[in-house]
Amino acid sequence: MDEDKYPAPSSRRRFVKGMVGSAALGSLGVAGSGVTTVPTNRSGVGGGNVEAKVIKNTDGPAPRGMSQIPVTVEDGYLKGVWPTATESGEVADGAAKTTLGGVTYSSKWFQYCGIQTHPKLVPDSEADNFLRADPGGRYDWEADLEPGTKLAVELFDDYEEWGNGVGDDGLGKPAAATWRSVEPESTLPVQVIRSPEIERLAQDDEWLAASTDRGFLAWLNKCTHLCCVPSGFKQSATVDGAENAVYCQCHQSIYDPFDVVSKVVTAFPRPSN
């Protein structure tokens, strides 16, 4: 079972049966994700291999982790950092890139699962970079937020003790969000957590010190297996290893947001026009 990285409760029979509805599940996404979930053809610009920072895939069929989105806090609100948002940002090889925490941060990190067709992944595109609530029934605490509400730091004040009855309390407080636009048809699905563990890790890690802020960490919430949108952090109490991790309900992949690693990934080309 370890060879193909399936969690213990899963089986090949369960996986094959699950494949029957995978196309439909993969296209659902979170409210407002508004992008296709299957790769388009390989022609275009800005493709190729790139080294990315990802939250590590620890179980299930996903081939790699999900790409991290650097964040900062601006005027009390959480904001995703786009590569051209700094003075050192540049456009080369069809991608936006900048140096952050000793790492080359590139817009190519997000060019997979059809998201490479997203209009706000054009290197010099202007967009709203604030992370905005996308409740969708995932977390009870978000239920009172209007979709599109900017995520304020104060909403996470209880992050050091927050719990939802899954796994351990006090690991961090999560939220479902969107990024790069306020229009429902052109947003990107994101997960974010504020965690004392992230604060601790950032003390001894140059990249995390530069790419997180006040314990906030975010990632593009697209499973790298069949492009489903994972249910999120601390959302499964029944799968071993998923209680304190990010779980993709479609084919049982698990990701660890407390283990950010470097991975060479293949970026699909963006459309040339």
Side-chain angles (χ1 to χ4, degrees):
M1 297 298 284
D2 290 337
E3 287 183 351
D4 55 7
K5 300 166 64 184
Y6 280 81
S10 302
S11 68
R12 292 184 182 276
R13 175 184 291 270
R14 180 180 176 188
F15 171 71
V16 171
K17 290 176 68 178
M19 287 293 290
V20 173
S22 65
L25 287 170
S27 64
L28 288 177
V30 293
S33 60
V35 293
T36 58
T37 57
V38 292
T40 55
N41 63 57
R42 301 298 180 94
S43 63
V45 296
N49 291 341
V50 63
E51 186 170 359
K53 289 291 187 177
V54 303
I55 63 167
K56 188 176 181 180
N57 166 237
T58 60
D59 220 332
R64 67 170 180 87
M66 293 185 290
S67 298
Q68 183 189 349
I69 299 171
V71 295
T72 188
V73 173
E74 183 176 303
D75 298 326
Y77 294 98
L78 193 59
K79 192 173 187 179
V81 176
W82 183 244
T84 55
T86 66
E87 291 183 1
S88 60
E90 60 176 314
V91 175
D93 300 323
K97 64 179 182 179
T98 192
T99 300
L100 185 65
V103 173
T104 299
Y105 168 42
S106 171
S107 58
K108 287 185 178 183
W109 292 13
F110 313 114
Q111 291 179 197
Y112 70 97
C113 280
I115 289 182
Q116 69 274 9
T117 68
H118 195 288
K120 298 305 181 181
L121 284 192
V122 175
D124 57 356
S125 61
E126 295 184 1
D128 183 302
N129 281 314
F130 286 102
L131 296 182
R132 296 174 178 270
D134 189 8
R138 291 169 185 256
Y139 299 106
D140 289 344
W141 80 264
E142 276 194 287
D144 294 333
L145 297 180
E146 289 291 328
T149 301
K150 289 198 298 186
L151 291 177
V153 172
E154 64 183 14
L155 293 172
F156 298 82
D157 283 348
D158 58 344
Y159 74 105
E160 293 181 295
E161 58 270 357
W162 183 88
N164 63 344
V166 177
D168 300 324
D169 294 349
L171 282 181
K173 186 175 184 178
T178 59
W179 184 45
R180 292 287 289 162
S181 182
V182 296
E183 294 83 10
E185 68 275 11
S186 60
T187 55
L188 300 175
V190 173
Q191 275 260 319
V192 58
I193 59 171
R194 188 182 191 190
S195 170
E197 179 67 6
I198 296 301
E199 291 176 308
R200 184 188 69 79
L201 292 169
Q203 293 177 5
D204 300 311
D205 187 296
E206 182 182 4
W207 164 254
L208 287 179
S211 64
T212 67
D213 195 348
R214 306 187 198 184
F216 284 102
L217 179 140
W219 59 89
L220 183 66
N221 199 37
K222 275 285 190 176
C223 181
T224 59
H225 177 224
L226 288 179
C227 304
C228 307
V229 175
S231 55
F233 178 66
K234 285 170 62 68
Q235 287 286 68
S236 176
T238 60
V239 177
D240 291 344
E243 303 92 337
N244 296 318
V246 181
Y247 179 62
C248 185
Q249 69 284 2
C250 297
H251 305 105
Q252 297 85 51
S253 287
I254 298 173
Y255 302 86
D256 184 357
F258 305 120
D259 193 357
V260 176
V261 297
S262 296
K263 182 74 174 179
V264 175
V265 303
T266 299
F268 289 126
R270 293 181 294 99
S272 55
N273 53 38

